[in-house]
Amino acid sequence: MLKDKIGMVLGVANKRSIAWACAEKCIEQGARLAFTYQGERLERNLTKLTADMDDTLVIPCDVTNQEEVDTAFETVATKYRKLDFLIHSIAFAPREALEGSYLDTSREAFLTALEISAYSLPQVARAAAPLMKDGGSIVTMSYYGAEKVVENYNVMGVAKAALESSTRYLASDLGPTGIRVNAISAGPINTLSARGVKNMSGFLKHVEERSPLRRNVEVTEVGNTALFLVSGLSSGITGETIYVDCGFNIMGI
Ligand code: 0WD
């Protein structure tokens, strides 16, 4: 399905990362991938994970460092000469902003969360677009807290709202050049980032009890949806936020 396609995957921290599940699905379908990481600690994880992969790149790309972002895309351009898809799976907010009241969010925490979790999407889309000469697909990861109040999710919910809105604006800007932009709103999954949100186990239990499918989503199900969105199977879809949450978001009382 993705033979001869080149993808870039941002946000693999370890093998539990949503980005890694997406990457595995794309590789199964024949894609070649460039992975980016933030900081040396994560470089080691990625180098191990990708050790037996062919024709891959593992490059630094901390989105708060514009020079590093520029160099990452130059490296991809030099090696592959093109890009077909990009999976953006990064987010960050200071831990103290992910508990207590949203009311108490500091200016610094707000700006950091919005910069890394939301601004990074237009930032990397701008760098990716010139490489997507035959059109392309950009996929980002959101969460229900963008739309409804989720205890402790706080500023990250506000950042995800900006991310989902950015998805629509970018889809409109890039659509004429054949580039699609979509978000996946995933149900809660126990990853490294998720542990930063207080009472994650409470979220998981709540979804298991209330979602139509009476269970939590598997990370491989998010990977499958990312595969669908980067492949030609979704060619008529852009600017959407697609829920992969066992139906949790449809429930009222
Ligand atoms: O329940 C969940 N796990 C959900 C996650 C439900 C719905 C959505 N998401 C979203 C997250 O908000 C995020 O956008 O999915 C995306 C991926 O999250 P993940 O797979 O749950 O988390 P993780 O494996 O930790 O990957 C996120 C990575 C970072 O990891 P750490 O844990 O070291 O913060 O985002 C990257 C980093 O690799 N990251 C950055 N990348 C580049 N520049 C930066 C940065 N400045 N900061 C964080």
Side-chain angles (χ1 to χ4, degrees):
M1 197 187 284
L2 297 180
K3 194 173 171 294
D4 301 324
K5 300 287 184 195
I6 306 293
M8 200 166 163
V9 178
L10 287 72
V12 177
N14 58 36
K15 69 175 191 321
R16 283 166 174 262
S17 295
I18 294 175
W20 183 247
C22 299
E24 284 191 306
K25 294 291 175 184
C26 294
I27 286 167
E28 269 171 36
Q29 294 300 322
R32 281 177 291 158
L33 299 179
F35 293 90
T36 71
Y37 61 86
Q38 179 231 0
E40 269 173 39
R41 181 179 52 89
L42 300 183
E43 178 184 15
R44 278 197 297 277
N45 289 352
L46 253 184
T47 309
K48 268 193 219 148
L49 283 171
T50 57
D52 55 4
M53 274 180 198
D54 291 335
D55 207 18
T56 189
L57 268 181
V58 173
I59 40 183
C61 183
D62 182 331
V63 293
T64 62
N65 179 340
Q66 186 59 46
E67 252 177 59
E68 211 169 276
V69 175
D70 293 341
T71 307
F73 281 88
E74 278 160 24
T75 310
V76 168
T78 307
K79 181 169 169 75
Y80 303 110
R81 307 263 152 221
K82 68 156 187 173
L83 191 61
D84 297 294
F85 63 90
L86 181 146
I87 297 174
H88 170 280
S89 185
I90 66 184
F92 176 79
R95 189 173 274 260
E96 71 277 9
L98 296 174
E99 58 181 61
S101 292
Y102 173 65
L103 185 67
D104 296 328
T105 309
S106 68
R107 180 189 301 263
E108 202 188 341
F110 186 96
L111 294 176
T112 301
L114 270 283
E115 180 187 7
I116 298 176
S117 316
Y119 179 69
S120 61
L121 183 67
Q123 179 186 20
V124 299
R126 195 158 55 241
L131 298 177
M132 294 181 162
K133 294 170 202 135
D134 308 320
S137 174
I138 298 174
V139 177
T140 187
M141 298 298 158
S142 192
Y143 178 62
Y144 183 64
E147 194 189 324
K148 293 283 193 290
V149 174
V150 172
E151 207 179 6
N152 299 317
Y153 202 63
N154 297 353
V155 71
M156 191 55 88
V158 176
K160 292 301 190 192
L163 184 73
E164 291 182 9
S165 183
S166 286
T167 299
R168 293 185 282 273
Y169 279 93
L170 290 171
S172 170
D173 284 348
L174 295 172
T177 54
I179 300 172
R180 299 180 294 110
V181 188
N182 291 288
I184 293 174
S185 183
I189 297 169
N190 215 345
T191 61
L192 198 62
S193 290
R195 279 184 222 139
V197 182
K198 217 177 161 192
N199 193 26
M200 182 67 186
S201 54
F203 286 17
L204 290 166
K205 189 160 174 282
H206 186 80
V207 171
E208 198 179 312
E209 285 167 2
R210 304 282 179 85
S211 67
L213 296 182
R214 297 289 189 276
R215 64 175 176 85
N216 279 287
V217 74
E218 301 281 339
V219 73
T220 50
E221 295 174 310
V222 179
N224 279 332
T225 308
L227 171 62
F228 165 70
L229 286 173
V230 302
S231 80
L233 288 177
S234 60
S235 56
I237 302 175
T238 194
E240 295 294 339
T241 297
I242 298 183
Y243 283 88
V244 184
D245 67 344
C246 298
F248 181 80
N249 76 95
I250 67 161
M251 299 303 286
I253 296 169

